[in-house]
Amino acid sequence: QLQASGGGFVQPGGSLGLSCAASGRTFSAYALGWFRQAPGKEREFVAFINYRGSNRYHADSVRGRFTISRGNTKNSVYLQMNNLKPEDTAVYYCASYNDGDYTSTFSYDYWGQGTLVTVSS
């Protein structure tokens, strides 16, 4: 089970940090990812990190502003979001990677419930 938290309301240019805690499964042995879904849009890839935390990939739209990382126990994942823009407004989901294209939702088999991020002035 994955539990995402840390969402909220922030003004453009602000920062937020999202957390995702895993339980019930040894997620430390799995790669993890963050996705987001804006109203009326499909869920899209945000960031990916391998099980060791040594390889990270970010979507072009967030690269340089967002950073994915893993906790020391490797059973949690974080997303530090800086210089937020209104277009970053979405529900953010963490997920456990299974196989295939890490940017595809079909490659993930466990999902958290999502946390809402709203960026607005």
Side-chain angles (χ1 to χ4, degrees):
Q1 190 174 17
L2 298 168
Q3 181 80 21
S5 62
F9 182 92
V10 63
Q11 293 186 336
S15 298
L16 276 178
L18 304 184
S19 300
C20 179
S23 62
R25 183 190 190 192
T26 309
F27 286 100
S28 59
Y30 294 85
L32 297 170
W34 284 99
F35 285 74
R36 67 186 182 186
Q37 188 166 17
K41 295 187 176 181
E42 293 187 354
R43 195 168 297 189
E44 65 173 3
F45 168 75
V46 175
F48 170 92
I49 189 166
N50 69 345
Y51 77 100
R52 291 181 179 177
S54 56
N55 291 327
R56 316 178 198 189
Y57 303 98
H58 299 81
D60 290 344
S61 59
V62 306
R63 190 174 297 121
R65 300 187 297 121
F66 292 11
T67 302
I68 189 172
S69 61
R70 298 191 76 135
N72 289 335
T73 64
K74 302 295 189 287
N75 224 31
S76 56
V77 64
Y78 306 99
L79 187 69
Q80 179 61 39
M81 305 184 295
N82 299 326
N83 190 22
L84 283 159
K85 304 176 180 180
E87 52 263 42
D88 295 320
T89 295
V91 177
Y92 284 72
Y93 299 88
C94 57
S96 178
Y97 174 77
N98 183 29
D99 190 21
D101 179 4
Y102 63 80
T103 67
S104 171
T105 58
F106 297 106
S107 299
Y108 295 77
D109 54 358
Y110 285 88
W111 292 83
Q113 86 290 357
T115 185
L116 176 62
V117 173
T118 303
V119 185
S120 176
S121 56

